[in-house]
Amino acid sequence: MSTAVDAPRLAWSYTARSNLYAAPIVADIHPSPGIETVICDSEDQTVHCVSAGGHDLWKLCAPWNKRQASSVAISAAARDGAATVAVANGDGTLLLLDARTGKDVLKKTVTRVDRGGLLWADLDGDGRDELIVCGDDG
């Protein structure tokens, strides 16, 4: 028995200024209606939080000196009552951002993350997520 499936429809589009090496991340992280998409515009060195309607909610002009090749990671449990976006770069910079505003919560030098990645998980069972950084230097 076959079931008819509706063809997908375009809800919105985003025109990047450069290549997107990192996959976009989708989550409900902002008070605006619907689900947001966080996009790293790699060569432009910007991170965009795009609304469910396709409009920029915030944009971070990144402080690093290499293209952005890794995806962001999002946690609802890293800070009390506030979603957090983590983004790391191949120059060793790690930024934690308030997901509602895109403002820095923390800036730190860690390992190079060019093709590595980030992952939030509650490693010690305390109800708060810790950040795992998978760097390129082993």
Side-chain angles (χ1 to χ4, degrees):
M1 174 189 318
S2 68
T3 304
V5 177
D6 292 336
R9 65 175 183 78
L10 179 65
W12 56 270
S13 66
Y14 171 81
T15 302
R17 294 176 52 105
S18 68
N19 294 322
L20 301 182
Y21 296 111
I25 301 295
V26 178
D28 190 3
I29 60 171
H30 192 277
S32 69
I35 296 174
E36 293 74 43
T37 303
V38 180
I39 299 168
C40 294
D41 201 338
S42 301
E43 303 291 342
D44 192 46
Q45 300 178 345
T46 56
V47 179
H48 299 262
C49 181
V50 181
S51 73
H55 306 287
D56 269 340
L57 295 169
W58 54 258
K59 175 175 116 174
L60 168 75
C61 296
W64 43 72
N65 55 27
K66 293 188 79 174
R67 71 173 188 249
Q68 184 59 31
S70 65
S71 293
V72 303
I74 298 171
S75 172
R79 298 181 302 131
D80 291 333
T84 305
V85 176
V87 58
N89 187 261
D91 70 0
T93 303
L94 170 68
L95 296 175
L96 300 185
L97 310 173
D98 183 293
R100 294 169 299 203
T101 64
K103 302 290 184 203
D104 290 359
V105 174
L106 173 80
K107 180 179 177 183
K108 186 173 185 166
T109 300
V110 293
T111 184
R112 295 183 324 269
V113 181
D114 198 20
R115 288 181 174 73
L118 303 169
L119 173 70
W120 289 102
D122 182 2
L123 298 174
D124 57 9
D126 67 355
R128 293 185 81 147
D129 286 344
E130 287 78 37
L131 182 63
I132 301 166
V133 179
C134 304
D136 296 335
D137 59 2

